[in-house]
Amino acid sequence: MKRIAAVTLGLLAPLFSSFSETLRYTVPFEISESDISYSISFSTGGQDTASPQFSGILNAKVAFDRETLEVTECTFLDGSRIYWENFSLQTQSDVTYEGLGTFPTRFSFLFEGISTRLMTIGDRGRVDPANGKLYDDDIAAISDQGVGSITIGIGDVQETETIDYAVEPSEQEIVSSPTIAVERIKDDLYGQHFNFTLTFSFDEEESETIEGSNSSFTLRESGQLTATYSYSETTPFGSWYSFNKWSFDGDELDSENEAGVPLYLAYALGFMAYRDDQQAPLSLRYEHGNAVLRIPSDYRNDDVYVEYSRTLQQDSWSMVPEAWLAGGYPSLKKESSGEIMLTLPFVDPPTFIRLRAEP
């Protein structure tokens, strides 16, 4: 009795093709944490503290080295805004004025609807790769929405000054260099995954002597604002899988779709996803004393290698003779199209076949 050929499908494939060293992404940083406090105080006593919250998206073009993760550019793009939660500060203390006597003196700050736009001056925002600091002179922060007011009261006399930033935009001083860091989270079948963190730190104190007195007034700003974003750089395989992933229940290369085809082999052969109610894409039939393996495919994403062995020993695998392939070796090349048809002669011992894909 003739022994039919046994067919096995094996799979060996590198995970990633090569990437360029420098990456450039447009990163929509989202403010994830703000812990900033403001305080006012008199040297003679009296203090008030407020800790408003901040929100916003800081769109930036970021360039960094894939291997070292050193950032060399962070350029703020249109739409980069920080929104301030409404807050007020107010405090009072008795202050002695020369020749006038002692009076209760009040300071009050009120901020409503403030929005600050960040922008890069020039073509690109430079970053010191040694410490991730953005250069201050490349950044402008302009408050152009909302209203701020300061009220000063001495005894029964009170004066208020109000600024509508939509009418009179005001440039805010960048008191400390923000820093940017990139962290590689993981590499997997579908791409490389990064976390971006942009951090603004504040620690500024300004004091001013109250005219006509020996007392002073101090305004202090301290804390940190952090904006983050997670980004995945998808491989071609990852894009294909994302489009077809509803058809698979595994995330390993040797996971099979419902038609029984290994995941990466399905990608290499250009298959779309197959449900279990559809005909399997591989078929084996017998014609004129030979077994014929048919692999229909519209295109190939990777080169496909068809190898055979008589013994299944590790070092016994060789490329099948070109005569066994209806289209010859060119039909196995990346981006070739059309069905692969393989004729397997009946022999003793049997012939084992495996398919291997390589980018």
Side-chain angles (χ1 to χ4, degrees), residues 80-296:
S80 297
R81 282 192 177 274
I82 299 175
Y83 298 93
W84 303 44
E85 180 183 82
N86 294 348
F87 76 102
S88 63
L89 289 165
Q90 51 191 345
T91 191
Q92 176 177 305
S93 181
D94 290 335
V95 176
T96 300
Y97 297 88
E98 295 179 5
L100 298 176
T102 300
F103 299 91
T105 302
R106 303 175 302 280
F107 273 88
S108 176
F109 290 87
L110 177 64
F111 297 91
E112 297 180 300
I114 303 295
S115 170
T116 300
R117 176 166 55 97
L118 286 184
M119 57 186 296
T120 295
I121 303 170
D123 294 335
R124 68 186 186 91
R126 298 165 300 157
V127 177
D128 185 343
N131 54 27
K133 285 190 174 183
L134 284 68
Y135 287 90
D136 290 346
D137 55 358
D138 288 344
I139 309 171
I142 301 173
S143 294
D144 57 3
Q145 294 180 16
V147 176
S149 65
I150 179 173
T151 299
I152 304 174
I154 302 175
D156 296 330
V157 180
Q158 180 170 295
E159 181 178 341
T160 299
E161 181 180 351
T162 300
I163 298 177
D164 184 341
Y165 293 109
V167 177
E168 300 178 64
S170 174
E171 184 169 346
Q172 310 300 311
E173 182 182 2
I174 304 293
V175 295
S176 65
S177 297
T179 59
I180 182 171
V182 180
E183 177 187 9
R184 179 183 284 108
I185 302 303
K186 64 176 180 178
D187 295 343
D188 58 23
L189 297 179
Y190 316 112
Q192 294 187 329
H193 308 272
F194 303 95
N195 272 354
F196 296 82
T197 303
L198 185 63
T199 304
F200 295 80
S201 296
F202 305 91
D203 190 6
E204 188 78 3
E205 183 174 288
E206 185 175 346
S207 296
E208 185 174 339
T209 301
I210 300 173
E211 186 176 356
S213 77
N214 292 324
S215 299
S216 61
F217 167 82
T218 299
L219 176 65
R220 181 173 177 80
E221 175 188 34
S222 63
Q224 183 171 287
L225 183 148
T226 303
T228 57
Y229 183 69
S230 296
Y231 180 84
S232 295
E233 182 189 24
T234 307
T235 61
F237 172 81
S239 298
W240 173 87
Y241 178 83
S242 178
F243 182 77
N244 292 285
K245 65 182 179 181
W246 53 266
S247 178
F248 304 101
D249 58 6
D251 59 1
E252 300 296 333
L253 283 175
D254 58 357
S255 297
E256 295 183 349
N257 65 11
E258 287 86 340
V261 179
L263 192 60
Y264 198 85
L265 185 58
Y267 165 75
L269 292 171
F271 292 160
M272 298 297 288
Y274 283 86
R275 291 186 181 275
D276 55 8
D277 59 354
Q278 292 178 313
Q279 183 180 358
L282 308 180
S283 64
L284 182 67
R285 70 176 188 274
Y286 306 99
E287 298 178 355
H288 311 296
N290 294 316
V292 179
L293 177 66
R294 303 176 70 89
I295 309 173

Side-chain angles (χ1 to χ4, degrees), residues 39-69:
S39 66
I40 56 174
S41 61
F42 289 97
S43 60
T44 52
Q47 179 171 323
D48 187 24
T49 301
S51 298
Q53 294 299 301
F54 297 83
S55 60
I57 301 293
L58 308 178
N59 294 303
K61 182 174 67 177
V62 178
F64 68 98
D65 184 277
R66 177 191 305 279
E67 298 302 322
T68 65
L69 301 184

